[in-house]
């Protein structure tokens, strides 16, 4: 996974506790990230629920590399509207392509 820039994130403490004596506590909740621009915070809320599973919350912050379209362009004709729609569509598609991965490439 290191060769593909993957990061595996998991809590330091178990998240699953069975009441049966022959089962040991285990970590069930993991996150696999593939983007060097992602910052994260992982919180394991032990004892928050009366269940055999402790809730885990991951907060992600992504620094996207996006083009910012000009705000509120002045549009005087249908042709100008079509041109602005085309520019916005192109910008969104390029940003999506630049900031996401195709699951088939994983």
């Amino acid at each position: 996974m290191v060769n593909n820039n993957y990061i595996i994130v998991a809590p330091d403490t178990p998240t699953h506790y069975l009441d049966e004596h022959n089962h040991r506590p285990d970590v069930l909740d993991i996150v696999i990230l593939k983007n060097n621009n992602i910052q994260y915070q992982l919180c394991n809320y032990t004892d928050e629920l009366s269940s055999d599973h402790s809730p885990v919350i991951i907060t992600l912050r992504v620094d996207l590399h996006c083009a910012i379209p000009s705000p509120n362009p002045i549009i005087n004709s249908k042709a100008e509207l079509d041109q602005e729609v085309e520019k916005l569509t192109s910008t969104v598609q390029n940003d999506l392509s630049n900031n996401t991965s195709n699951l088939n490439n994983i």
Side-chain angles (χ1 to χ4, degrees):
M1 291 227 180
V2 174
N3 295 339
N4 292 318
N5 294 322
Y6 289 104
I7 302 168
I8 299 174
V9 180
D12 294 332
T13 58
T15 59
H16 188 245
Y17 300 88
L18 288 177
D19 289 334
E20 301 174 23
H21 70 281
N22 59 341
H23 288 91
R24 295 179 19 195
D26 198 2
V27 174
L28 296 182
D29 304 278
I30 65 167
V31 177
I32 301 173
L33 304 172
K34 183 185 177 172
N35 187 327
N36 293 334
N37 298 325
I38 295 178
Q39 298 174 352
Y40 63 89
Q41 178 182 11
L42 184 72
C43 297
N44 183 2
Y45 292 97
T46 56
D47 303 328
E48 293 290 326
L49 294 176
S50 58
S51 98
D52 62 354
H53 184 260
S54 298
V56 175
I57 296 176
I58 186 165
T59 304
L60 301 176
R61 182 174 171 269
V62 181
D63 294 327
L64 299 177
H65 303 286
C66 299
I68 300 173
S70 58
N72 301 324
I74 297 173
I75 299 171
N76 295 312
S77 68
K78 182 181 179 319
E80 289 178 0
L81 175 62
D82 290 342
Q83 184 180 12
E84 290 299 324
V85 168
E86 173 100 17
K87 285 196 304 191
L88 180 61
T89 301
S90 177
T91 299
V92 170
Q93 288 173 339
N94 287 335
D95 290 344
L96 181 64
S97 175
N98 292 335
N99 290 291
T100 58
S101 298
N102 184 337
L103 291 178
N104 295 328
N105 296 332
I106 294 178

